Amino acid sequence: MTPVLHDIVGYAAAILTTLSFVPQALKSWQTRDLSGVSLAMYSLFTLGVALWLVYGVMLGSWPIIAANSITLALAGVVLTLKLRK
C-alpha cells in the first residue's frame, strides 16, 4: 500500500471511531444520567486512549494523534461526569 492510502485508511478509521463517542458524550452531558455507564470500563478505556495518543505522538502519526486527542476529550467528559455522581 502507498503512504497516501495508509493515511486515508487511518483518517477514515479515526473519524468513524471518534464520531462514535459523540452521542454518548452528548447524552451524558444533557441528561447527567450515567447509571448505565461502567466506571471500570470507562476508566480503562480512557487510559487506553491516552496511551494510544502517546503512541501516536511517538510515531508522529497525525491520524492517531488527532483521533485520540478528540476521543480522549470526549471520554474524559463522560468519565468526569461518572466520577461526580
Side-chain angles (χ1 to χ4, degrees):
M1 272 199 254
T2 67
V4 172
L5 187 55
H6 287 164
D7 283 346
I8 290 170
V9 170
Y11 279 113
I15 289 167
L16 292 173
T17 57
T18 299
L19 286 177
S20 72
F21 285 91
V22 171
Q24 182 67 58
L26 286 175
K27 184 175 182 180
S28 297
W29 183 265
Q30 292 168 347
T31 66
R32 300 290 201 253
D33 177 17
L34 288 105
S35 59
V37 174
S38 165
L39 178 60
M41 179 271 177
Y42 252 85
S43 297
L44 292 171
F45 176 76
T46 304
L47 178 59
V49 171
L51 291 174
W52 272 112
L53 177 57
V54 170
Y55 178 69
V57 170
M58 290 168 60
L59 291 178
S61 174
W62 284 105
I64 296 172
I65 293 168
N68 287 291
S69 294
I70 295 167
T71 304
L72 183 59
L74 294 169
V77 167
V78 175
L79 183 59
T80 300
L81 291 171
K82 180 69 176 177
L83 288 170
R84 287 186 179 174
K85 292 289 177 175

